[in-house]
PDB file of all heavy atoms in Angstrom:
ATOM      1  N   SER R   1     -21.974  31.188 -27.389  1.00  0.00           N
ATOM      2  CA  SER R   1     -20.876  32.130 -27.566  1.00  0.00           C
ATOM      3  C   SER R   1     -19.655  31.285 -27.890  1.00  0.00           C
ATOM      4  O   SER R   1     -19.473  30.204 -27.366  1.00  0.00           O
ATOM      5  CB  SER R   1     -20.642  33.001 -26.299  1.00  0.00           C
ATOM      6  OG  SER R   1     -20.251  32.162 -25.240  1.00  0.00           O
ATOM      7  N   VAL R   2     -18.792  31.847 -28.786  1.00  0.00           N
ATOM      8  CA  VAL R   2     -17.525  31.182 -29.098  1.00  0.00           C
ATOM      9  C   VAL R   2     -16.433  32.063 -28.622  1.00  0.00           C
ATOM     10  O   VAL R   2     -16.413  33.286 -28.907  1.00  0.00           O
ATOM     11  CB  VAL R   2     -17.374  30.948 -30.656  1.00  0.00           C
ATOM     12  CG1 VAL R   2     -15.992  30.351 -30.988  1.00  0.00           C
ATOM     13  CG2 VAL R   2     -18.532  30.071 -31.172  1.00  0.00           C
ATOM     14  N   ASN R   3     -15.505  31.524 -27.877  1.00  0.00           N
ATOM     15  CA  ASN R   3     -14.516  32.277 -27.167  1.00  0.00           C
ATOM     16  C   ASN R   3     -13.112  31.846 -27.497  1.00  0.00           C
ATOM     17  O   ASN R   3     -12.891  30.649 -27.809  1.00  0.00           O
ATOM     18  CB  ASN R   3     -14.755  32.125 -25.605  1.00  0.00           C
ATOM     19  CG  ASN R   3     -16.160  32.423 -25.218  1.00  0.00           C
ATOM     20  OD1 ASN R   3     -16.485  33.576 -24.920  1.00  0.00           O
ATOM     21  ND2 ASN R   3     -17.020  31.409 -25.220  1.00  0.00           N
ATOM     22  N   ASN R   4     -12.161  32.746 -27.377  1.00  0.00           N
ATOM     23  CA  ASN R   4     -10.769  32.479 -27.665  1.00  0.00           C
ATOM     24  C   ASN R   4     -10.010  32.114 -26.378  1.00  0.00           C
ATOM     25  O   ASN R   4     -10.288  32.615 -25.300  1.00  0.00           O
ATOM     26  CB  ASN R   4     -10.065  33.698 -28.254  1.00  0.00           C
ATOM     27  CG  ASN R   4     -10.056  33.656 -29.759  1.00  0.00           C
ATOM     28  OD1 ASN R   4     -10.552  32.671 -30.358  1.00  0.00           O
ATOM     29  ND2 ASN R   4      -9.582  34.734 -30.376  1.00  0.00           N
ATOM     30  N   PHE R   5      -9.022  31.254 -26.539  1.00  0.00           N
ATOM     31  CA  PHE R   5      -8.004  31.072 -25.482  1.00  0.00           C
ATOM     32  C   PHE R   5      -7.184  32.357 -25.400  1.00  0.00           C
ATOM     33  O   PHE R   5      -7.123  33.128 -26.349  1.00  0.00           O
ATOM     34  CB  PHE R   5      -7.083  29.917 -25.804  1.00  0.00           C
ATOM     35  CG  PHE R   5      -7.677  28.546 -25.764  1.00  0.00           C
ATOM     36  CD1 PHE R   5      -7.985  27.894 -26.946  1.00  0.00           C
ATOM     37  CD2 PHE R   5      -7.917  27.918 -24.574  1.00  0.00           C
ATOM     38  CE1 PHE R   5      -8.538  26.665 -26.884  1.00  0.00           C
ATOM     39  CE2 PHE R   5      -8.488  26.669 -24.512  1.00  0.00           C
ATOM     40  CZ  PHE R   5      -8.793  26.019 -25.700  1.00  0.00           C
ATOM     41  N   SER R   6      -6.612  32.556 -24.250  1.00  0.00           N
ATOM     42  CA  SER R   6      -5.677  33.668 -24.072  1.00  0.00           C
ATOM     43  C   SER R   6      -4.425  33.167 -23.332  1.00  0.00           C
ATOM     44  O   SER R   6      -4.430  32.168 -22.653  1.00  0.00           O
ATOM     45  CB  SER R   6      -6.353  34.786 -23.256  1.00  0.00           C
ATOM     46  OG  SER R   6      -5.351  35.727 -22.888  1.00  0.00           O
ATOM     47  N   ASP R   7      -3.325  33.856 -23.546  1.00  0.00           N
ATOM     48  CA  ASP R   7      -2.077  33.473 -22.869  1.00  0.00           C
ATOM     49  C   ASP R   7      -1.958  34.059 -21.445  1.00  0.00           C
ATOM     50  O   ASP R   7      -0.994  33.715 -20.756  1.00  0.00           O
ATOM     51  CB  ASP R   7      -0.870  33.984 -23.710  1.00  0.00           C
ATOM     52  CG  ASP R   7      -0.744  33.213 -24.958  1.00  0.00           C
ATOM     53  OD1 ASP R   7      -1.122  32.053 -24.956  1.00  0.00           O
ATOM     54  OD2 ASP R   7      -0.277  33.780 -25.989  1.00  0.00           O
ATOM     55  N   SER R   8      -2.911  34.873 -21.043  1.00  0.00           N
ATOM     56  CA  SER R   8      -2.774  35.423 -19.710  1.00  0.00           C
ATOM     57  C   SER R   8      -3.111  34.392 -18.630  1.00  0.00           C
ATOM     58  O   SER R   8      -3.834  33.419 -18.879  1.00  0.00           O
ATOM     59  CB  SER R   8      -3.740  36.625 -19.572  1.00  0.00           C
ATOM     60  OG  SER R   8      -5.052  36.215 -19.584  1.00  0.00           O
ATOM     61  N   ASN R   9      -2.616  34.581 -17.454  1.00  0.00           N
ATOM     62  CA  ASN R   9      -2.739  33.614 -16.354  1.00  0.00           C
ATOM     63  C   ASN R   9      -3.742  34.156 -15.336  1.00  0.00           C
ATOM     64  O   ASN R   9      -3.352  34.918 -14.468  1.00  0.00           O
ATOM     65  CB  ASN R   9      -1.389  33.375 -15.726  1.00  0.00           C
ATOM     66  CG  ASN R   9      -1.458  32.259 -14.703  1.00  0.00           C
ATOM     67  OD1 ASN R   9      -2.492  31.621 -14.535  1.00  0.00           O
ATOM     68  ND2 ASN R   9      -0.343  32.050 -13.969  1.00  0.00           N
ATOM     69  N   GLU R  10      -4.992  33.781 -15.496  1.00  0.00           N
ATOM     70  CA  GLU R  10      -6.012  34.295 -14.624  1.00  0.00           C
ATOM     71  C   GLU R  10      -6.032  33.586 -13.271  1.00  0.00           C
ATOM     72  O   GLU R  10      -5.588  32.464 -13.139  1.00  0.00           O
ATOM     73  CB  GLU R  10      -7.398  34.114 -15.255  1.00  0.00           C
ATOM     74  CG  GLU R  10      -7.752  35.147 -16.278  1.00  0.00           C
ATOM     75  CD  GLU R  10      -9.237  35.097 -16.590  1.00  0.00           C
ATOM     76  OE1 GLU R  10      -9.660  34.095 -17.169  1.00  0.00           O
ATOM     77  OE2 GLU R  10      -9.947  36.038 -16.211  1.00  0.00           O
ATOM     78  N   THR R  11      -6.520  34.308 -12.295  1.00  0.00           N
ATOM     79  CA  THR R  11      -6.699  33.682 -10.963  1.00  0.00           C
ATOM     80  C   THR R  11      -7.852  32.691 -11.002  1.00  0.00           C
ATOM     81  O   THR R  11      -8.869  32.934 -11.653  1.00  0.00           O
ATOM     82  CB  THR R  11      -7.011  34.802  -9.915  1.00  0.00           C
ATOM     83  OG1 THR R  11      -5.973  35.772  -9.989  1.00  0.00           O
ATOM     84  CG2 THR R  11      -7.072  34.188  -8.541  1.00  0.00           C
ATOM     85  N   GLU R  12      -7.769  31.636 -10.241  1.00  0.00           N
ATOM     86  CA  GLU R  12      -8.833  30.631 -10.170  1.00  0.00           C
ATOM     87  C   GLU R  12      -9.960  31.122  -9.275  1.00  0.00           C
ATOM     88  O   GLU R  12      -9.734  31.851  -8.309  1.00  0.00           O
ATOM     89  CB  GLU R  12      -8.333  29.310  -9.634  1.00  0.00           C
ATOM     90  CG  GLU R  12      -7.371  28.607 -10.590  1.00  0.00           C
ATOM     91  CD  GLU R  12      -6.946  27.213  -9.997  1.00  0.00           C
ATOM     92  OE1 GLU R  12      -7.465  26.851  -8.921  1.00  0.00           O
ATOM     93  OE2 GLU R  12      -6.083  26.591 -10.633  1.00  0.00           O
ATOM     94  N   ASN R  13     -11.177  30.707  -9.639  1.00  0.00           N
ATOM     95  CA  ASN R  13     -12.311  30.931  -8.721  1.00  0.00           C
ATOM     96  C   ASN R  13     -12.307  29.927  -7.575  1.00  0.00           C
ATOM     97  O   ASN R  13     -11.535  28.963  -7.580  1.00  0.00           O
ATOM     98  CB  ASN R  13     -13.629  30.795  -9.529  1.00  0.00           C
ATOM     99  CG  ASN R  13     -13.803  31.917 -10.546  1.00  0.00           C
ATOM    100  OD1 ASN R  13     -13.774  33.065 -10.230  1.00  0.00           O
ATOM    101  ND2 ASN R  13     -14.008  31.510 -11.799  1.00  0.00           N
ATOM    102  N   ASP R  14     -13.149  30.205  -6.623  1.00  0.00           N
ATOM    103  CA  ASP R  14     -13.195  29.333  -5.427  1.00  0.00           C
ATOM    104  C   ASP R  14     -13.694  27.905  -5.781  1.00  0.00           C
ATOM    105  O   ASP R  14     -13.249  26.941  -5.172  1.00  0.00           O
ATOM    106  CB  ASP R  14     -14.064  29.917  -4.335  1.00  0.00           C
ATOM    107  CG  ASP R  14     -13.499  31.203  -3.746  1.00  0.00           C
ATOM    108  OD1 ASP R  14     -12.258  31.352  -3.791  1.00  0.00           O
ATOM    109  OD2 ASP R  14     -14.249  32.009  -3.191  1.00  0.00           O
ATOM    110  N   ILE R  15     -14.582  27.859  -6.729  1.00  0.00           N
ATOM    111  CA  ILE R  15     -15.135  26.592  -7.143  1.00  0.00           C
ATOM    112  C   ILE R  15     -14.375  26.141  -8.402  1.00  0.00           C
ATOM    113  O   ILE R  15     -14.346  26.837  -9.431  1.00  0.00           O
ATOM    114  CB  ILE R  15     -16.626  26.673  -7.484  1.00  0.00           C
ATOM    115  CG1 ILE R  15     -17.416  27.124  -6.254  1.00  0.00           C
ATOM    116  CG2 ILE R  15     -17.186  25.321  -7.962  1.00  0.00           C
ATOM    117  CD1 ILE R  15     -18.856  27.446  -6.515  1.00  0.00           C
ATOM    118  N   VAL R  16     -13.800  24.957  -8.332  1.00  0.00           N
ATOM    119  CA  VAL R  16     -12.936  24.461  -9.447  1.00  0.00           C
ATOM    120  C   VAL R  16     -13.419  23.077  -9.852  1.00  0.00           C
ATOM    121  O   VAL R  16     -13.489  22.168  -9.048  1.00  0.00           O
ATOM    122  CB  VAL R  16     -11.443  24.424  -9.066  1.00  0.00           C
ATOM    123  CG1 VAL R  16     -10.611  23.853 -10.210  1.00  0.00           C
ATOM    124  CG2 VAL R  16     -10.949  25.766  -8.665  1.00  0.00           C
ATOM    125  N   LEU R  17     -13.733  22.911 -11.140  1.00  0.00           N
ATOM    126  CA  LEU R  17     -14.052  21.566 -11.708  1.00  0.00           C
ATOM    127  C   LEU R  17     -12.858  21.170 -12.524  1.00  0.00           C
ATOM    128  O   LEU R  17     -12.428  21.861 -13.479  1.00  0.00           O
ATOM    129  CB  LEU R  17     -15.254  21.684 -12.571  1.00  0.00           C
ATOM    130  CG  LEU R  17     -15.606  20.434 -13.395  1.00  0.00           C
ATOM    131  CD1 LEU R  17     -16.026  19.294 -12.489  1.00  0.00           C
ATOM    132  CD2 LEU R  17     -16.692  20.727 -14.428  1.00  0.00           C
ATOM    133  N   THR R  18     -12.285  19.992 -12.206  1.00  0.00           N
ATOM    134  CA  THR R  18     -11.120  19.496 -12.926  1.00  0.00           C
ATOM    135  C   THR R  18     -11.519  18.306 -13.787  1.00  0.00           C
ATOM    136  O   THR R  18     -12.131  17.350 -13.313  1.00  0.00           O
ATOM    137  CB  THR R  18     -10.014  19.063 -11.958  1.00  0.00           C
ATOM    138  OG1 THR R  18      -9.651  20.207 -11.153  1.00  0.00           O
ATOM    139  CG2 THR R  18      -8.788  18.599 -12.701  1.00  0.00           C
ATOM    140  N   VAL R  19     -11.224  18.393 -15.129  1.00  0.00           N
ATOM    141  CA  VAL R  19     -11.529  17.261 -15.991  1.00  0.00           C
ATOM    142  C   VAL R  19     -10.220  16.659 -16.513  1.00  0.00           C
ATOM    143  O   VAL R  19      -9.173  17.358 -16.585  1.00  0.00           O
ATOM    144  CB  VAL R  19     -12.374  17.721 -17.196  1.00  0.00           C
ATOM    145  CG1 VAL R  19     -13.710  18.287 -16.729  1.00  0.00           C
ATOM    146  CG2 VAL R  19     -11.633  18.745 -18.079  1.00  0.00           C
ATOM    147  N   ASN R  20     -10.257  15.344 -16.781  1.00  0.00           N
ATOM    148  CA  ASN R  20      -9.053  14.678 -17.244  1.00  0.00           C
ATOM    149  C   ASN R  20      -9.455  13.601 -18.238  1.00  0.00           C
ATOM    150  O   ASN R  20     -10.035  12.565 -17.863  1.00  0.00           O
ATOM    151  CB  ASN R  20      -8.322  14.052 -16.044  1.00  0.00           C
ATOM    152  CG  ASN R  20      -6.973  13.442 -16.428  1.00  0.00           C
ATOM    153  OD1 ASN R  20      -6.729  13.149 -17.591  1.00  0.00           O
ATOM    154  ND2 ASN R  20      -6.098  13.350 -15.454  1.00  0.00           N
ATOM    155  N   SER R  21      -9.174  13.837 -19.509  1.00  0.00           N
ATOM    156  CA  SER R  21      -9.596  12.933 -20.561  1.00  0.00           C
ATOM    157  C   SER R  21      -8.739  11.660 -20.600  1.00  0.00           C
ATOM    158  O   SER R  21      -9.050  10.738 -21.329  1.00  0.00           O
ATOM    159  CB  SER R  21      -9.580  13.629 -21.932  1.00  0.00           C
ATOM    160  OG  SER R  21      -8.259  14.132 -22.166  1.00  0.00           O
ATOM    161  N   ALA R  22      -7.687  11.628 -19.804  1.00  0.00           N
ATOM    162  CA  ALA R  22      -6.843  10.413 -19.743  1.00  0.00           C
ATOM    163  C   ALA R  22      -7.545   9.349 -18.909  1.00  0.00           C
ATOM    164  O   ALA R  22      -7.171   8.174 -19.033  1.00  0.00           O
ATOM    165  CB  ALA R  22      -5.472  10.728 -19.173  1.00  0.00           C
ATOM    166  N   ASN R  23      -8.465   9.766 -18.068  1.00  0.00           N
ATOM    167  CA  ASN R  23      -9.224   8.836 -17.239  1.00  0.00           C
ATOM    168  C   ASN R  23     -10.627   8.635 -17.818  1.00  0.00           C
ATOM    169  O   ASN R  23     -11.476   9.534 -17.678  1.00  0.00           O
ATOM    170  CB  ASN R  23      -9.342   9.363 -15.786  1.00  0.00           C
ATOM    171  CG  ASN R  23      -8.006   9.470 -15.099  1.00  0.00           C
ATOM    172  OD1 ASN R  23      -7.057   8.767 -15.426  1.00  0.00           O
ATOM    173  ND2 ASN R  23      -7.896  10.403 -14.163  1.00  0.00           N
ATOM    174  N   THR R  24     -10.837   7.504 -18.450  1.00  0.00           N
ATOM    175  CA  THR R  24     -12.114   7.255 -19.124  1.00  0.00           C
ATOM    176  C   THR R  24     -12.867   6.164 -18.384  1.00  0.00           C
ATOM    177  O   THR R  24     -12.316   5.291 -17.758  1.00  0.00           O
ATOM    178  CB  THR R  24     -11.909   6.821 -20.601  1.00  0.00           C
ATOM    179  OG1 THR R  24     -11.115   5.627 -20.623  1.00  0.00           O
ATOM    180  CG2 THR R  24     -11.220   7.921 -21.411  1.00  0.00           C
ATOM    181  N   TYR R  25     -14.217   6.251 -18.483  1.00  0.00           N
ATOM    182  CA  TYR R  25     -15.091   5.369 -17.813  1.00  0.00           C
ATOM    183  C   TYR R  25     -15.984   4.655 -18.875  1.00  0.00           C
ATOM    184  O   TYR R  25     -15.466   4.093 -19.843  1.00  0.00           O
ATOM    185  CB  TYR R  25     -15.879   6.062 -16.748  1.00  0.00           C
ATOM    186  CG  TYR R  25     -14.999   6.680 -15.718  1.00  0.00           C
ATOM    187  CD1 TYR R  25     -14.493   8.021 -15.843  1.00  0.00           C
ATOM    188  CD2 TYR R  25     -14.519   5.935 -14.626  1.00  0.00           C
ATOM    189  CE1 TYR R  25     -13.670   8.546 -14.946  1.00  0.00           C
ATOM    190  CE2 TYR R  25     -13.632   6.481 -13.697  1.00  0.00           C
ATOM    191  CZ  TYR R  25     -13.241   7.791 -13.839  1.00  0.00           C
ATOM    192  OH  TYR R  25     -12.381   8.361 -12.939  1.00  0.00           O
ATOM    193  N   GLN R  26     -17.306   4.726 -18.699  1.00  0.00           N
ATOM    194  CA  GLN R  26     -18.188   3.954 -19.631  1.00  0.00           C
ATOM    195  C   GLN R  26     -18.271   4.573 -20.993  1.00  0.00           C
ATOM    196  O   GLN R  26     -18.117   5.817 -21.172  1.00  0.00           O
ATOM    197  CB  GLN R  26     -19.564   3.817 -19.026  1.00  0.00           C
ATOM    198  CG  GLN R  26     -20.448   5.038 -19.004  1.00  0.00           C
ATOM    199  CD  GLN R  26     -20.312   5.882 -17.780  1.00  0.00           C
ATOM    200  OE1 GLN R  26     -19.251   5.943 -17.156  1.00  0.00           O
ATOM    201  NE2 GLN R  26     -21.361   6.584 -17.395  1.00  0.00           N
ATOM    202  N   THR R  27     -18.602   3.741 -21.965  1.00  0.00           N
ATOM    203  CA  THR R  27     -18.861   4.235 -23.305  1.00  0.00           C
ATOM    204  C   THR R  27     -20.324   4.614 -23.426  1.00  0.00           C
ATOM    205  O   THR R  27     -21.187   3.837 -23.009  1.00  0.00           O
ATOM    206  CB  THR R  27     -18.591   3.136 -24.386  1.00  0.00           C
ATOM    207  OG1 THR R  27     -17.215   2.672 -24.216  1.00  0.00           O
ATOM    208  CG2 THR R  27     -18.803   3.619 -25.780  1.00  0.00           C
ATOM    209  N   ILE R  28     -20.593   5.742 -23.974  1.00  0.00           N
ATOM    210  CA  ILE R  28     -21.973   6.272 -24.059  1.00  0.00           C
ATOM    211  C   ILE R  28     -22.667   5.695 -25.292  1.00  0.00           C
ATOM    212  O   ILE R  28     -22.126   5.711 -26.384  1.00  0.00           O
ATOM    213  CB  ILE R  28     -21.973   7.808 -24.095  1.00  0.00           C
ATOM    214  CG1 ILE R  28     -21.250   8.405 -22.916  1.00  0.00           C
ATOM    215  CG2 ILE R  28     -23.389   8.333 -24.196  1.00  0.00           C
ATOM    216  CD1 ILE R  28     -21.777   7.943 -21.557  1.00  0.00           C
ATOM    217  N   GLN R  29     -23.881   5.187 -25.091  1.00  0.00           N
ATOM    218  CA  GLN R  29     -24.668   4.609 -26.188  1.00  0.00           C
ATOM    219  C   GLN R  29     -25.584   5.633 -26.848  1.00  0.00           C
ATOM    220  O   GLN R  29     -25.945   5.469 -28.010  1.00  0.00           O
ATOM    221  CB  GLN R  29     -25.459   3.418 -25.698  1.00  0.00           C
ATOM    222  CG  GLN R  29     -24.620   2.256 -25.196  1.00  0.00           C
ATOM    223  CD  GLN R  29     -25.449   0.998 -25.088  1.00  0.00           C
ATOM    224  OE1 GLN R  29     -26.065   0.500 -26.061  1.00  0.00           O
ATOM    225  NE2 GLN R  29     -25.479   0.467 -23.888  1.00  0.00           N
ATOM    226  N   GLY R  30     -26.002   6.650 -26.115  1.00  0.00           N
ATOM    227  CA  GLY R  30     -26.799   7.659 -26.732  1.00  0.00           C
ATOM    228  C   GLY R  30     -28.077   8.034 -25.921  1.00  0.00           C
ATOM    229  O   GLY R  30     -28.259   7.586 -24.794  1.00  0.00           O
ATOM    230  N   PHE R  31     -28.919   8.806 -26.604  1.00  0.00           N
ATOM    231  CA  PHE R  31     -30.128   9.351 -25.985  1.00  0.00           C
ATOM    232  C   PHE R  31     -31.319   9.131 -26.955  1.00  0.00           C
ATOM    233  O   PHE R  31     -31.137   8.952 -28.128  1.00  0.00           O
ATOM    234  CB  PHE R  31     -29.955  10.856 -25.694  1.00  0.00           C
ATOM    235  CG  PHE R  31     -28.732  11.112 -24.834  1.00  0.00           C
ATOM    236  CD1 PHE R  31     -27.470  11.236 -25.366  1.00  0.00           C
ATOM    237  CD2 PHE R  31     -28.926  11.229 -23.432  1.00  0.00           C
ATOM    238  CE1 PHE R  31     -26.403  11.465 -24.508  1.00  0.00           C
ATOM    239  CE2 PHE R  31     -27.833  11.446 -22.593  1.00  0.00           C
ATOM    240  CZ  PHE R  31     -26.555  11.590 -23.109  1.00  0.00           C
ATOM    241  N   GLY R  32     -32.511   9.233 -26.376  1.00  0.00           N
ATOM    242  CA  GLY R  32     -33.664   8.976 -27.239  1.00  0.00           C
ATOM    243  C   GLY R  32     -34.978   9.148 -26.491  1.00  0.00           C
ATOM    244  O   GLY R  32     -35.053   9.623 -25.363  1.00  0.00           O
ATOM    245  N   GLY R  33     -36.047   8.671 -27.154  1.00  0.00           N
ATOM    246  CA  GLY R  33     -37.398   8.730 -26.587  1.00  0.00           C
ATOM    247  C   GLY R  33     -38.252   7.620 -27.091  1.00  0.00           C
ATOM    248  O   GLY R  33     -37.810   6.827 -27.924  1.00  0.00           O
ATOM    249  N   ALA R  34     -39.486   7.536 -26.644  1.00  0.00           N
ATOM    250  CA  ALA R  34     -40.398   6.502 -26.959  1.00  0.00           C
ATOM    251  C   ALA R  34     -41.457   6.907 -27.969  1.00  0.00           C
ATOM    252  O   ALA R  34     -42.051   7.976 -27.834  1.00  0.00           O
ATOM    253  CB  ALA R  34     -41.085   5.935 -25.744  1.00  0.00           C
ATOM    254  N   MET R  35     -41.634   6.048 -29.013  1.00  0.00           N
ATOM    255  CA  MET R  35     -42.713   6.265 -29.951  1.00  0.00           C
ATOM    256  C   MET R  35     -43.898   5.385 -29.522  1.00  0.00           C
ATOM    257  O   MET R  35     -44.041   4.263 -29.957  1.00  0.00           O
ATOM    258  CB  MET R  35     -42.251   5.900 -31.382  1.00  0.00           C
ATOM    259  CG  MET R  35     -43.316   6.143 -32.455  1.00  0.00           C
ATOM    260  SD  MET R  35     -43.880   7.892 -32.570  1.00  0.00           S
ATOM    261  CE  MET R  35     -42.451   8.603 -33.441  1.00  0.00           C
ATOM    262  N   THR R  36     -44.665   5.865 -28.561  1.00  0.00           N
ATOM    263  CA  THR R  36     -45.828   5.209 -28.098  1.00  0.00           C
ATOM    264  C   THR R  36     -47.018   5.464 -29.059  1.00  0.00           C
ATOM    265  O   THR R  36     -46.943   6.266 -29.921  1.00  0.00           O
ATOM    266  CB  THR R  36     -46.217   5.739 -26.679  1.00  0.00           C
ATOM    267  OG1 THR R  36     -46.429   7.133 -26.801  1.00  0.00           O
ATOM    268  CG2 THR R  36     -45.085   5.453 -25.725  1.00  0.00           C
ATOM    269  N   ASP R  37     -48.130   4.729 -28.777  1.00  0.00           N
ATOM    270  CA  ASP R  37     -49.348   5.066 -29.506  1.00  0.00           C
ATOM    271  C   ASP R  37     -49.702   6.529 -29.370  1.00  0.00           C
ATOM    272  O   ASP R  37     -50.043   7.240 -30.331  1.00  0.00           O
ATOM    273  CB  ASP R  37     -50.535   4.229 -28.994  1.00  0.00           C
ATOM    274  CG  ASP R  37     -50.430   2.742 -29.374  1.00  0.00           C
ATOM    275  OD1 ASP R  37     -49.465   2.379 -30.041  1.00  0.00           O
ATOM    276  OD2 ASP R  37     -51.353   2.006 -29.016  1.00  0.00           O
ATOM    277  N   ALA R  38     -49.602   7.029 -28.114  1.00  0.00           N
ATOM    278  CA  ALA R  38     -49.985   8.399 -27.811  1.00  0.00           C
ATOM    279  C   ALA R  38     -49.113   9.398 -28.587  1.00  0.00           C
ATOM    280  O   ALA R  38     -49.620  10.396 -29.115  1.00  0.00           O
ATOM    281  CB  ALA R  38     -49.919   8.677 -26.287  1.00  0.00           C
TER     282      ALA R  38
END
């Protein structure tokens, strides 16, 4: 689903996840799998 921002000020839920892109940690190298004989 693609959703719009809104200017209204909603009440927060009891569970809150806070993200902060100013605080960075490791650089991600990626994902993959194995090409075995099987």
Side-chain angles (χ1 to χ4, degrees):
S1 64
V2 178
N3 307 271
N4 266 357
F5 291 105
S6 168
D7 289 330
S8 68
N9 186 6
E10 280 194 291
T11 306
E12 291 183 4
N13 292 306
D14 292 337
I15 301 173
V16 179
L17 173 67
T18 302
V19 300
N20 189 335
S21 58
N23 296 333
T24 60
Y25 300 92
Q26 74 270 31
T27 304
I28 303 303
Q29 296 195 58
F31 302 85
M35 183 61 75
T36 58
D37 288 359

